[in-house]
Amino acid sequence: PQNPERFWTGGADGLYVTNDGGETFDKLQDTPINSLAVDPNNPEKLMIGGHELYYSIDGGHTLKDAEYSNLPFLVNDIVYSTNSSETIYAATGSYYDLGLLKGGRGVLRSTDGGQTWHSFSAGLANKNTTSLAITPDAKYLYVGTVGGSVHRVKLNQGNE
């Protein structure tokens, strides 16, 4: 947010950063990624998701493994809370691995800046989640799912 010339991108072949508005890109990591988010309060802090969850405090130069249950998942979207960058949500969905369908885990939440993650899917009927949006006042989290449904989850203020 402080530097519109700097942004990150990535995909199956890794994580890249540009510091010149997209003229050139430098490869930072070979780790396949499906989703990434930048902490709005600290442009050096990134959350990166794919078949794993990682966080970086140095702009993606090094990645640290986040702690979560060892169940398989695919992170489709990551969003920071609008009132605390320590609270982050990740949407997980299903995927195929060697021809076998692996189920989505719903929404995961971290309250320590992405270091540890836990399920935040109580009451969510469809755990195959694809996208997330949080209201500016952090009162509601909207969860998009495969099949086109959108669920609104009320967040507890101060203890999301």
Side-chain angles (χ1 to χ4, degrees):
Q2 290 82 9
N3 180 357
E5 297 292 308
R6 184 176 193 205
F7 59 89
W8 291 262
T9 186
D13 62 338
L15 175 67
Y16 297 83
V17 66
T18 181
N19 290 299
D20 57 15
E23 296 275 331
T24 62
F25 287 87
D26 294 317
K27 189 171 191 176
L28 300 175
Q29 300 291 331
D30 290 324
T31 303
I33 64 170
N34 200 45
S35 181
L36 67 97
V38 179
D39 182 336
N41 298 313
N42 180 354
E44 294 299 310
K45 186 176 168 194
L46 308 175
M47 281 307 312
I48 298 167
H51 289 289
E52 306 282 337
L53 274 164
Y54 304 97
Y55 65 98
S56 175
I57 58 173
D58 62 3
H61 293 282
T62 58
L63 299 181
K64 297 181 180 185
D65 293 328
E67 292 181 32
Y68 55 89
S69 65
N70 289 329
L71 298 172
F73 59 76
L74 177 64
V75 177
N76 290 316
D77 197 10
I78 300 171
V79 65
Y80 278 85
S81 174
T82 52
N83 69 352
S84 169
S85 61
E86 290 297 300
T87 303
I88 310 164
Y89 300 91
T92 67
S94 62
Y95 66 97
Y96 284 93
D97 183 25
L98 301 174
L100 298 173
L101 181 65
K102 306 277 183 158
R105 304 290 171 210
V107 177
L108 303 177
R109 177 179 70 174
S110 173
T111 57
D112 60 7
Q115 295 177 45
T116 60
W117 293 80
H118 305 282
S119 177
F120 189 73
S121 297
L124 190 63
N126 185 346
K127 303 272 194 298
N128 198 358
T129 60
T130 58
S131 59
L132 300 170
I134 192 166
T135 57
D137 60 7
K139 287 186 180 179
Y140 296 98
L141 177 70
Y142 289 88
V143 182
T145 65
V146 168
S149 60
V150 176
H151 301 270
R152 184 177 78 166
V153 179
K154 184 166 177 49
L155 301 173
N156 297 324
Q157 293 299 299
N159 186 20
E160 296 175 39

